[in-house]
Amino acid sequence: MKAVAQRREGATADVLVGKILSHEVRDAAGKVALAKGVTLDADAARTLLAQPWDEVHLLALEPGDLHEEEAGRRLAAVVAGEGVEVKAYTGGQWTLVATRRGLLRVDTARLNAVNIQKGVAVFTLFDRQPVDRGETVAKAKITPLAIGGDTVRAVEHSARGGAITVAGFRPAAIGTVARESLEPKQRTRFESALKTKVDWLGGRLLPVRFASASPRAVAEELSALHGDGADVLVVAGASALDPLDPVFGGLTLLGARMERHGVPAHPGSLLFLARWKDTPVLGMPTCGMFSQATTFDLVLPRLLAGEAIGNVEIAALGHGGLLSREMAYRFPPYRAGATRGELE
């Protein structure tokens, strides 16, 4: 492409047509008559000639060059993977939105391979952020007003298959065992909070079971829930710092394997993850039993999105594990109009 400084003298419609306006042009009243980035057709050229100016700056496209809108459309289309669609073009940007509720997955290697190309910009929410249907997950644009077609083709090659996807939550059955010692009001509040979370994630909460303080009772309740078809087991109310807590005795009786006890994040650092008969057993931190968003609200969405979670994945939660209110974007938006992660 070639930059052209066009003086008023010698400017005709034939000279102007087909070129791209590099800046906005205002009329005698100071109102914008033509916006920057406009490709001048015959009508736009006449409008430009009717305005008061001495010199305008234009871009003349060469063979193979693409206007930012068309190039950006192709850019957005190639980075949008499963569960993502390209929506409206506004302000020079193409918007990408989730077509379903799920876990945003950003292939950062592909994203970087796209953004390393000069004149290309794709910006997203963070990887593994829970998103709702219709939520904006990324935007794509070409930063100059036009770009070479070879650059666009290079992007299409490097991002083939999509760099941004949304993994839908599977309709899993969640079985839960809690302490028998919980008072009736606590039981009701706990069940309500957990059901709200499971419902948002597209799961089904099986009737909560309350076990007495014995390893055998815990093991029997977990086994019964497994028999009822639970895809994920949740244990709440364990004294996580006590190795002799009945919950851990019950897991031992079942032959469960502890994947990770303790998480490098707060609140919820005492969460644990075990596995029994290929079924994940998630130990809910006591601080998250009623309403507070904790590490539980980071791990459960990933399990329901079909991710394999073990020690390595739990260890990686340390990066960004300071779960202050400023980090609320990492949690699901359980209630419309409320801060993400909050139930009330």
Side-chain angles (χ1 to χ4, degrees):
M1 68 203 70
K2 180 180 179 182
V4 177
Q6 179 65 54
R7 298 291 299 175
R8 164 70 73 175
E9 53 270 19
T12 64
D14 290 341
V15 170
L16 297 173
V17 167
K19 295 183 174 62
I20 298 173
L21 190 60
S22 297
H23 54 85
E24 64 183 26
V25 172
R26 296 178 178 269
D27 61 21
K31 295 182 178 180
V32 176
L34 291 169
K36 63 182 177 181
V38 169
T39 299
L40 298 172
D41 58 15
D43 287 341
R46 285 192 291 270
T47 298
L48 178 58
L49 289 170
Q51 310 312 315
W53 53 271
D54 295 320
E55 180 179 286
V56 292
H57 296 167
L58 308 167
L59 284 180
L61 298 187
E62 297 174 327
D65 289 342
L66 296 170
H67 185 275
E68 61 167 338
E69 183 174 352
E70 169 60 16
R73 183 193 62 78
R74 288 172 55 176
L75 168 63
V78 76
V79 298
E82 188 177 356
V84 177
E85 67 177 350
V86 181
K87 298 293 281 188
Y89 175 77
T90 57
Q93 303 175 355
W94 289 92
T95 299
L96 287 75
V97 304
T99 61
R100 59 191 176 196
R101 183 175 291 181
L103 198 68
L104 176 65
R105 295 306 317 273
V106 180
D107 186 328
T108 54
R110 283 185 176 179
L111 181 64
N112 292 343
V114 167
N115 283 331
I116 203 169
Q117 299 288 341
K118 292 181 179 179
V120 172
V122 179
F123 31 103
T124 76
L125 300 179
F126 280 107
D127 181 40
R128 291 189 172 88
Q129 179 171 323
V131 295
D132 209 347
R133 181 181 181 185
E135 185 172 351
T136 297
V137 297
K139 292 195 175 185
K141 69 174 296 181
I142 301 301
T143 53
L145 295 173
I147 196 168
D150 55 345
T151 299
V152 175
R153 287 189 293 273
V155 165
E156 290 174 327
H157 176 76
S158 61
R160 186 178 296 120
I164 306 163
T165 60
V166 173
F169 297 123
R170 55 196 177 100
I174 311 299
T176 307
V177 175
R179 298 178 308 184
E180 188 179 59
S181 59
L182 283 177
E183 297 176 358
K185 286 185 177 180
Q186 291 178 317
R187 289 189 181 193
T188 300
R189 188 180 175 200
F190 166 65
E191 291 183 73
S192 175
L194 184 57
K195 187 176 188 305
T196 296
K197 294 181 179 185
V198 172
D199 285 351
W200 193 90
L201 294 167
R204 176 170 59 93
L205 182 64
L206 299 176
V208 176
R209 292 173 176 264
F210 295 90
S212 62
S214 77
R216 177 64 59 187
V218 172
E220 288 176 352
E221 297 294 3
L222 288 172
S223 182
L225 286 166
H226 188 272
D228 289 341
D231 300 295
V232 176
L233 293 168
V234 174
V235 182
S239 179
L241 295 177
D242 181 3
L244 299 179
D245 186 273
V247 165
F248 303 122
L251 292 175
T252 299
L253 287 175
L254 291 173
R257 180 182 73 256
M258 185 64 68
E259 296 279 354
R260 175 85 186 209
H261 191 167
V263 181
H266 178 80
S269 60
L270 295 182
L271 175 141
F272 68 81
L273 177 66
R275 193 162 294 274
W276 174 50
K277 293 184 177 181
D278 294 325
T279 300
V281 183
L282 194 58
M284 175 184 281
T286 302
C287 60
M289 285 184 62
F290 303 108
S291 62
Q292 184 177 14
T294 68
T295 55
F296 178 85
D297 302 88
L298 299 182
V299 176
L300 185 60
R302 293 176 62 173
L303 288 173
L304 298 193
E307 290 196 7
I309 304 294
N311 181 43
V312 172
E313 291 75 22
I314 295 293
L317 293 178
H319 183 201
L322 187 60
L323 302 176
S324 61
R325 290 186 65 85
E326 289 74 19
M327 299 290 276
Y329 64 85
R330 299 193 62 189
F331 299 120
Y334 294 124
R335 289 195 180 279
T339 300
R340 295 178 81 103
E342 291 187 355
L343 301 182
E344 53 188 35

